[in-house]
Amino acid sequence: MSQPNGPADLADSAPGAGTGKGAALPPSPESPQAGPPRRLVILLAVSCGLTVANLYYAQPLLSELRGSFHIGAVTAGSLVTATQLGYALGLLLLVPLGDVTEKRRLATLLLSLTVGALVLAGAAPDFAVLLVASLIVGCTLTVAQILVPFAADLAPDASRGRVVGQVMSGLLTGILLSRTVGSVVAGATSWRVVYLGSAALMTILTLVLRSALPARPPAAALRYGALLKSTVRLLKVHPALRRRALYQAAMFGAFSVFWTTISFVLTSAPFHYHQWQVGLFALAGAGGALIAPQAGRWADRGLVRPMTAVALAAAAVAFGVAVVGRHSVLALGAAAVLLDMAVQTTLILGQHVVYQLDSGARARLNSAFMATFFVGGAVGSQAGSAAYHLGGWPAVTALGAALPLLALTAAFPRRT
């Protein structure tokens, strides 16, 4: 096992901790010490990117949705909030099943439900239906967080950070490119085609994963009620899990503050961008995904704590750049890249810490970790929309900078 990064990690990394007596089963013999085949890592990365993109298609479309449904900025922002809250709900209620259910079967079931919800979103007659469909989509798209622990299970200890970083780079690229794809497709056709086209894509992906993923036996044998209780118990017994989840909640809140409101900035004075131009701007953030594999290597080298501090500070600096250069698209693009790199770095480092805590409960650990920080993202989306309504871009950037600074204040004295 790679070296932990402090006493809390040492205390919390005993195999089986927090899972209940007799819960863990022997690891699958399919897990070679050399790690998973490269083609499987690529498939997992692409799958995570394509699925999680559905969470963010709406962010650059908020201005168009306001006109389509005749709603205000705060109401439009609630669409992103609903999707992220749905994701948090799925993380709490569905992702733990990855420890007790055959993962390939679970993944294809969730993707099938996603297809139905996307069709409903694309055909929504009013904003309320779109809101409900987005909540369902968010819930079922937690399949990505079943595939990431799957990759961690396959990887040996010495390279787990690198493998998870590679898979997460696909997921994060999906998050970032989704804004461009959503904007360009909506600009050329309509926002409805974005959802219906994704439904077709998810149908294809479901069939590919069904045939390509290897079967994996469950890592634990628990009833559903006991499974959920053990997930909550993991938060109680692992201080490192609580801390990393809260750090990432602050960072993802800042991330959501920026990306939920930037379309309002770019479509108003002095830019007056069209929808496709907003989409092209979103490409700037995609450069941040390049940091994910490097963050994994930092984690494998035991640099979790110092690089966490650097990333938290960088996120706050990004908002400083964004407010000073608010009339320059180049400055806003630089801020987007810096912010996305910072958020992705803390995410990879946090997952490295969390996945070491209990090898028999990685799906549940991931559930608790990701659910906490997606709640932070949902709060950030709604708070960002409200801040923009009340004080414009300066209020948004002040809020965005405050979140990582608070996390840095909490993280600095800690060892994880």
Side-chain angles (χ1 to χ4, degrees), residues 17 107 126 180 194 198 220 239 244 281 303 379 395 410:
D126 54 45
T180 301
V194 175
S198 183
R244 297 305 311 196
F281 175 85
L303 298 175
V379 172

Side-chain angles (χ1 to χ4, degrees), residues 297-384:
R297 287 189 282 271
W298 288 331
D300 288 334
R301 290 167 54 194
L303 298 175
V304 167
R305 185 169 182 257
M307 295 313 299
T308 296
V310 169
L312 292 171
V317 170
F319 281 98
V321 173
V323 70
V324 171
R326 60 185 178 275
H327 299 306
S328 166
V329 71
L330 293 179
L332 291 174
V337 172
L338 183 59
L339 176 63
D340 289 354
M341 291 178 70
V343 173
Q344 291 166 29
T345 296
T346 56
L347 176 57
I348 301 300
L349 297 177
Q351 286 180 310
H352 181 78
V353 171
V354 167
Y355 288 157
Q356 290 187 85
L357 299 177
D358 188 340
S359 62
R362 287 198 175 109
R364 281 166 286 165
L365 288 166
N366 199 48
S367 168
F369 175 67
M370 300 294 284
T372 302
F373 91 69
F374 262 91
V375 170
V379 172
S381 295
Q382 200 63 32

Side-chain angles (χ1 to χ4, degrees), residues 32-56:
Q33 288 303 309
R38 181 168 178 77
R39 65 181 181 277
L40 181 56
V41 175
I42 292 173
L43 174 61
L44 291 171
V46 171
S47 299
C48 287
L50 290 176
T51 54
V52 82
N54 291 282
L55 294 173
Y56 300 96

Side-chain angles (χ1 to χ4, degrees), residues 56 59-60 175-184 255 259 279 282 340:
Y56 300 96
Q59 280 188 344
I175 291 175
L176 299 169
L177 292 182
S178 62
R179 303 186 189 93
T180 301
V181 172
S183 288
V184 171
F255 179 92
W259 285 108
D340 289 354

Side-chain angles (χ1 to χ4, degrees), residues 11-92:
D12 293 339
S13 61
T19 60
K21 293 181 180 180
L25 295 178
S28 169
E30 294 178 7
S31 303
Q33 288 303 309
R38 181 168 178 77
R39 65 181 181 277
L40 181 56
V41 175
I42 292 173
L43 174 61
L44 291 171
V46 171
S47 299
C48 287
L50 290 176
T51 54
V52 82
N54 291 282
L55 294 173
Y56 300 96
Y57 285 139
Q59 280 188 344
L61 305 180
L62 295 184
S63 294
E64 183 175 343
L65 290 171
R66 287 173 64 185
S68 180
F69 292 111
H70 307 291
I71 54 178
V74 176
T75 302
S78 67
L79 184 67
V80 179
T81 302
T83 307
Q84 291 176 339
L85 285 177
Y87 201 71
L89 189 64
L91 286 164
L92 288 172

Side-chain angles (χ1 to χ4, degrees), residues 163-180:
V163 171
V164 170
Q166 290 171 343
V167 174
M168 288 299 297
S169 67
L171 185 149
L172 296 166
T173 299
I175 291 175
L176 299 169
L177 292 182
S178 62
R179 303 186 189 93
T180 301

